[in-house]
Amino acid sequence: MKKVLILLFLITFAIVANGSDFNFDTVKERVSEFTLSNGLKFILLEDHSVPIASFVTYANVGGSDESIGIYGISHVLEHLAFKGTSEVGTKNIKKEKAILDKMDILFSRIRGEKNSLHPDKNKIKELEKKFEELRKEAQEYVVPNEFDSILKKNGGVGLNAGTGADSTVYFFSLPSNKVELWAYLESGRFADPVFREFYKEREVIKEERRVRVDNQPVGKMVEETLALAFKDHPYKTNTIGPMSNINNITRYDVKRYFREFYTAGNIVIGVTGDVYPEQLKKLAKKYFSKIPAGKRKPRNTTIEPPQLGEKRMTIYEDSQPWIITGYHCPSVLHEDFVKFSVLDYIMTNGRSSRLYKKLVTDNKSALFVGSMAGFPGNKYPSLYIIFSLPNMGHTTEELEKIIGEGINKLKTEKVTEEELKSAKVRMKVALIKEMTSNRGLLFSLLSSEILQGSWENAFTYIDQIEKVTAEDLKKLAEKYFTLSNRVVVKIEKKGEDKK
Amino acid sequence: MRKFTLVLLVFTVLVYGTGIFGKGRKLEKIKYPPLNEIQKPVVKSTQLNNGIKIKLIEDQKFPVVNFTAYLKGGDVYDPAGKTGLASVTAQLLRIGGAAGIKGAELDRMLDMSGISISFGSSFDYYTINVSALKPSFGKAMDILSKMLESPVFDKDKFEEIKSQFSSSISRSNDDPASIRNREFGKLIYGKGSPFAAQLEYEHLENITLNDVRKFYSMFFKPGNMMIGVTGPFKIEELEPTINKHFGQLKGNPVIPVYPVVKTPEHGFNVYFAEKADQTQSQIVVGHPGYKENIDEKAKILVFNSIFSQGFNSRLMQRLRVKMGLTYGVGGGINSEYLYPGDVSFTTFTKSESTITAVSAILDEIKRIRTEKVTEKELNEAKDYFLNSYVFKFSSPEKVLNDHIRKEFYNLDKAKYDDLVNKIKTVTADDVLKAAQKYLVPEKIVTLIVGTKKNVKEDLAKLGKVKDIDISIKPPPVKEIIPEATPASLKKGNDILFKALMMNYSGYRNIKTAVKDSTMNITLGPRSFNLEQSLTVVYPDKIYSETKVMGMTMKRVVNGKKGYMTQMGQRKELTEEEIEESGFAGLYDIFHSKGKYKFQYLRTEEIKGISYDVVYITGQKDKWVKFFINNRTGLIEIKEKIENIGGQKGLGRIYLSLFKKQKGISFPFKTEIFMKDKKVVDITMKKVVINSIIDKSLFKVDTK
């Protein structure tokens, strides 16, 4: 009786799952685009149901554009983009700028002395004293946080930004009658920024590094995984950068970096909400035309060579154990990338997924298992990682063994049609759900635009998923899941290294 | 779809000068058009006959349905010593299986059709979230109704949840910020308070499947459910769907009395929790808070905005922007609907600047309590609330949640709707008064999590310092019982039967027994005196009457049936409870050959007396240890899992003052110890054997 019931259940299920057809064109129809003569592209996703608007500035710059000595600069720049312009955040721009320039010169001297072969401590002290006086003087001209303050009193919400390996994004929302305020502020900070309060902000960034990395075992583990997996490509550093680089980046470095990467052609602007194309075009022309013209930055020419052999590392921390197993995978432009995404769903998405079921449910040896393709980014070849936390009384060795067996099985047997179908259904549902959030969809349009050449790719992704077969996944596993291509990083409890 | 249009809301924005006002920047010349009308989504409400309330916002844009059920209950009702029960219950309902279908099979079915169902326990309520595309919504409801109507309390899934919870305990000191939040709760509400309960290994050991069943039947009733749905439905379409799947559920919840917060007194100002190798300190400064009061809410919102919330707040300005001490500052006057929340401010800074950062926060607290905020600050905060009002309607989910929250907590809807107008009237004087009223410097404690030697400066600058111990209490040690061998079983058998023949042979022929005793039970700080009269007709009838504080409780067992009464309420005993009453009783041991195994464990010396320890097991996983005086053959100590007043754990029972009657040595004194504390003390007053008993005492049928 029980069996029959389950069977009936399943039959109705199959029908239900197939009946969920949704026409993505209804969403696509709400998207429009235009490009200013300086090369700045705008993508608009209209939705007039609520009189609000959200704005995203997506810059094609991130950790992977950096080089040694200035690792972390993309993120430093992101922080400084909130400090205002020559109109916003100052009481007297001329006088302020004069002092800022003096400070830059003095800072270079301090930096030079500190980094000289035999630094003169007294001289440093003396210079630092002068520097502090100048800093205080400059501060007199600052209207602190004016950028934020203007937004806040106008009802702006969600002001923030994020820097990743591939991109830097800036965003906030306003009531939709204030679109022009956005145009004024946002164009101002990318056409005419003033990187004021640089030296205090650096201390803030150092605290950010301490809270995210230095005092967070998982943060350290992620940083070490990147350092181990990549030897040439800039994906090898954490986006926040090492402390020593943060300490030595100058305002001049930031200005130069800004001029190089924040050109009209290297930025795409996304707007969503109660905004009309003609209205946006008019404002865009009026405010954003002053952003210097420029082309989209070409790819970084450094290519990570094939890994020659397995790489392993264990860090010892005041923390319970963790394990990351990684395999080098291709960039989002490669046809294999979408296959990794499907595989990802089969392996760890949902309680019925292979590794989740095996590790968490059946063996009870893991507290959690998750995975992702495209770590730390997907603009360049990167990593497919599986991360897991052993349950109490279980070890990373046990987990490594089971994960390894799960990976090997992919090479010897095809995944079942049911698993494949189930993964595709969940991926499709996830895509439709993403469409229900204007902001979520806007982010995905912008990254498709920059990383894949067109925002329209966000709508064809579903077709790419549909095409993936069980045979494809077996071939994928054979190609990528080799020991030489593997990286294993663990956290073990402090003191274990002394045993 | 009928929409309700909000009138009002053409906010004129006043731009307050910042020094360069009028100097000709474009900003001040921008003319903003009036805001388009807000089409406020309408919440449709209905109720099923069984009490389930349904709230819907129709949203035709996408074929996606979001469903959330809210039920009163949650972590705050976890019994003492069983922290985590509400969460375990919620998780098991989700993964245990339903209507005879295995949990793993349900998982597979849900994944196959892209349905996600999750159960969660929050502080004051449970939530059930379902998300599905419209075509599979009916199926999702079908599965959910099965989970609610006929859940399987599967032992293996129960173990899965427990192993997850144990692991999270073992990981609870990995992240410094979560240590800070947890320990601060304990400081302001007191250790052991339901408002600061911390999950321990021992709690997990205490939680049984029966507890989970009990919580399920207390809370997961249709009379306790409020469902909120957004999706492409009309109410006329949704109600029958929900009724079809949930209409047959019956019953109302049993919600216990909400606990009362008792805030402890503090002899210290600063608490330090040591965590190794930190280069940064996690800091919180604050004290217990206040229950939500809508009449005060406008002032508090303005206060929080000016003082500690958002990039422009005073704390952010001072600690981050001016001093470069931190990446983030947060907190505020945090009111709760059912209990006083807290007033707390949090930040983190490199170890060396710990004291500087704490002092800066304390200094700002002092300042806002003594000086009025500036007009600029006041207007900026007020403008923010007025101008960002439209974002309350930014998604149907937001509007629905707001609606449900008001109804769930029974809030004064009109006053909440008028809040935006109240904010307009807040003055600088109001903010000052709010600061003076709600921030109480004498009550403030500071908690720092970090590495003390890296702090460098002397923490005593901040006041009296106390170190707090955050080490994780290890799981209770379980005795490992060696595998039984024919030899150890034979020896156990021999020892026990020799003792029975020496001291308890009367149990072979006993017919009835009546025992009168007085008892004293001590549970935590409370102590009760009881009088008990116990009547037994062997083999399977028991009648007991217990008097405590003027009340009489009855307990009757007759064969496989039994019940108890308490304050006039009758409750049937479960099969397990009935079985337990006879388990390893000496009568039972004499009369049920082969039912028990007697395994000799060891000979142990306690207080100069040598005992043979025999480990007795019967059906299922029940056990008891007898410590038999190897000179007299008296059973002087027993060890087993006790459950006294909801406190469950290993109990040691000491028996003494033996008097022999009709071939049985009865102990006239019994003391039960749990965790080395005496919890029960029984003095037997008399025993009468084989008297004539009125059989009507044992009537268990209600007819």
Side-chain angles (χ1 to χ4, degrees), chain B residues 285-355:
Chain B
V285 173
H287 57 64
Y290 310 88
K291 250 190 182 171
E292 168 110 345
N293 174 358
I294 180 62
D295 298 322
E296 294 284 285
K297 184 137 183 169
K299 290 177 220 170
I300 289 177
L301 285 174
V302 173
F303 168 89
N304 282 342
S305 175
I306 293 174
F307 190 67
S308 56
Q309 291 174 3
F311 216 79
N312 271 308
S313 65
R314 284 189 176 185
L315 289 186
M316 194 67 126
Q317 281 291 326
R318 171 97 176 248
L319 273 87
R320 173 167 162 156
V321 182
K322 283 199 191 132
M323 300 176 84
L325 287 177
T326 187
Y327 175 65
V329 187
I333 300 171
N334 311 307
S335 302
E336 293 287 343
Y337 298 110
L338 298 179
Y339 69 98
D342 63 38
V343 176
S344 66
F345 307 99
T346 57
T347 192
F348 43 85
T349 189
K350 59 184 177 298
S351 306
E352 303 89 295
S353 50
T354 305
I355 290 173

Side-chain angles (χ1 to χ4, degrees), chain B residues 484-514:
Chain B
T485 62
S488 68
L489 288 173
K490 186 177 180 303
K491 190 165 178 189
N493 210 60
D494 293 348
I495 291 169
L496 189 74
F497 275 86
K498 188 177 152 211
L500 292 179
M501 294 321 289
M502 280 168 81
N503 297 306
Y504 307 97
S505 61
Y507 273 115
R508 280 197 297 197
N509 308 314
I510 193 167
K511 297 284 181 284
T512 71
V514 177

Side-chain angles (χ1 to χ4, degrees), chain A residues 13 145 148 352 391 418 433, chain B residues 108 111 113 131 167 312 317:
Chain A
F13 250 80
N145 274 348
D148 183 75
S352 73
N391 257 340
E418 185 192 306
K433 282 186 191 166
Chain B
R108 200 173 70 95
D111 282 353
S113 40
S131 163
S167 293
N312 271 308
Q317 281 291 326

